[in-house]
Amino acid sequence: MAGSNRGEENRLICNRCAHRCALGPGRRGICGVRENRGGLIECLVYGLLIAAQKDPIEKKPLYHVLPGTDSYSVATVGCNFRCGFCQNHHISQPSGREYPEGLRATPEEIVSSALREGAKSISYTYTEPSVFFEYARDTAIRAKEKGLLNIFVTNGYMTGETLDELEGLLDAANVDLKSFRDEFYRRLCQGSLEPVLASLKKMKELGIWVEVTTLIIPGENDGAAELKDIASFIASLGRETPWHISRFFPRFKMTQTPPTPVFTLETAREIGLAAGLKYVYLGNLTGGAGEVTCCSHCGGKLIERRGYRLVGFHLQEGRCPSCLVPLEGLFSPG
């Protein structure tokens, strides 16, 4: 009975994410892909990919994990959030009980594809990996055996139990910290804030390399006070934790909301640096200081990017060539 506890009236409690859905016989969770079948919670999309392709790892975004390499990115249908601004809503929030036709692939086949494509890691991404946890875990085990890193791109709404099972398997994660207001999570995502904060803390405790992304949405989470709260929390995880600040563009149910002004992104970056964060990056905005990794000690340029492409890599054995201070992150394959 993986990922479940028995509740009242033959209901099972799915403990993969913080919703902890109580599922009666034949009932599915909020994610739409986990169901109580015959007294067991089954992952209905195990072995069924909706997306599989090679991406630059910078696209996740991860800037301190194997820079300049490719990550084999996989996803199934389903998500435990209902974000009205989701860029992948067609696969994360499919309508009805049927799923778009996908690609059948075993964990072994995923790993073989990643190796054939020359990827150095596998990213479980595009939708929410905790809802297809068993599939991701089994793939991660085999990926580790072949020397590949495992990466989650996640909303962070998993449980502590789920993270415990990933100890030693998950190398890195980019976690969306969408807001620092519970009201935002409840209204726009149908979730809550605290489980995300708890996941971020636990990931750091487990030794998982963490980078944080916040999509700045005009009129929703772009106030200076909230940005300061986000930056202060990330700094409490460790000042070395990179913060990716992304620009919003109209999409899905929020087509009337304008794109984020560049000035807002630049202000957010200044707030992050003022909070003591060593590395603050600007996403969906090509060019400028927001794409460059500088040494936190001497300020020298270590990694220069343009979009998802490296245009300068100056690290020497993971260290600044000028002052020899190491750059925090994962710079060697598993």
Side-chain angles (χ1 to χ4, degrees):
M1 196 184 302
S4 65
N5 293 309
R6 189 165 297 280
E8 298 178 358
E9 301 176 355
N10 296 317
R11 292 189 299 174
L12 299 177
I13 307 300
C14 180
N15 62 18
R16 283 301 166 215
C17 89
H19 287 300
R20 297 189 185 273
C21 296
L23 307 179
R27 304 294 293 181
R28 294 184 188 178
I30 289 172
C31 64
V33 299
R34 303 182 67 80
E35 181 177 305
N36 179 348
R37 284 191 173 181
L40 294 173
I41 290 183
E42 291 193 17
C43 176
L44 304 180
V45 289
Y46 190 106
L48 185 60
L49 296 177
I50 195 63
Q53 65 183 42
K54 182 175 65 173
D55 287 326
I57 199 165
E58 286 78 12
K59 190 177 180 180
K60 299 303 103 189
L62 285 167
Y63 279 10
H64 291 241
V65 180
L66 303 182
T69 67
D70 289 319
S71 187
Y72 193 67
S73 301
V74 296
T76 74
V77 170
C79 187
N80 49 8
F81 276 0
R82 292 292 178 268
C83 300
F85 46 87
C86 181
Q87 65 179 348
N88 293 321
H89 59 89
H90 56 293
I91 58 174
S92 66
Q93 303 176 38
S95 60
R97 292 175 62 87
E98 300 303 320
Y99 313 119
E101 184 176 350
L103 168 69
R104 295 195 175 277
T106 65
E108 292 83 0
E109 288 170 335
I110 292 174
V111 173
S112 294
S113 295
L115 293 170
R116 185 170 57 251
E117 292 283 350
K120 301 301 181 183
S121 60
I122 296 178
S123 291
Y124 310 86
T125 180
Y126 304 137
T127 60
E128 172 49 44
S130 62
V131 305
F132 60 92
F133 172 80
E134 293 81 4
Y135 191 22
R137 177 200 59 204
D138 292 351
T139 304
I141 291 171
R142 289 155 180 81
K144 275 288 185 183
E145 293 170 350
K146 297 297 184 178
L148 297 171
L149 297 190
N150 289 300
I151 295 163
F152 266 25
V153 180
T154 173
N155 59 30
Y157 211 62
M158 68 277 287
T159 62
E161 302 98 290
T162 293
L163 284 172
D164 283 336
E165 290 191 48
L166 289 170
E167 184 174 9
L169 291 176
L170 187 62
D171 298 286
N174 185 290
V175 181
D176 283 338
L177 182 52
K178 300 175 186 294
S179 170
F180 214 75
R181 303 291 183 261
D182 197 63
E183 185 274 338
F184 176 105
Y185 271 92
R186 294 188 182 280
R187 177 169 53 88
L188 295 180
C189 307
Q190 296 184 26
S192 56
L193 171 63
E194 187 54 41
V196 181
L197 303 183
S199 289
L200 281 161
K201 293 174 184 176
K202 190 172 182 68
M203 285 182 185
K204 296 289 283 193
E205 291 169 1
L206 293 174
I208 297 166
W209 175 258
V210 172
E211 304 192 21
V212 177
T213 294
T214 303
L215 178 70
I216 306 296
I217 305 175
E220 297 290 356
N221 62 351
D222 58 346
E226 182 170 1
L227 294 172
K228 288 177 182 177
D229 289 342
I230 293 173
S232 295
F233 174 78
I234 297 172
S236 76
L237 298 174
R239 293 176 54 242
E240 77 286 350
T241 306
W243 186 23
H244 299 265
I245 302 165
S246 290
R247 190 182 190 193
F248 170 86
F249 289 97
R251 60 169 62 96
F252 194 26
K253 297 179 181 179
M254 297 185 69
T255 56
Q256 301 305 308
T257 303
T260 316
V262 173
F263 173 78
T264 302
L265 299 180
E266 294 173 341
T267 299
R269 183 170 185 269
E270 292 173 2
I271 288 172
L273 294 172
L277 293 175
K278 295 181 179 181
Y279 313 107
V280 185
Y281 301 108
L282 299 184
N284 296 345
L285 192 65
T286 301
E291 291 187 311
V292 179
T293 299
C294 293
C295 176
S296 61
H297 181 69
C298 72
K301 291 182 178 180
L302 300 179
I303 306 173
E304 300 173 80
R305 307 171 184 84
R306 188 165 186 83
Y308 304 133
R309 182 170 58 90
L310 293 192
V311 295
F313 187 83
H314 311 296
L315 283 176
Q316 294 182 0
E317 297 183 348
R319 295 177 178 271
C320 172
S322 298
C323 65
L324 302 182
V325 169
L327 177 65
E328 299 92 340
L330 303 177
F331 300 104
S332 298

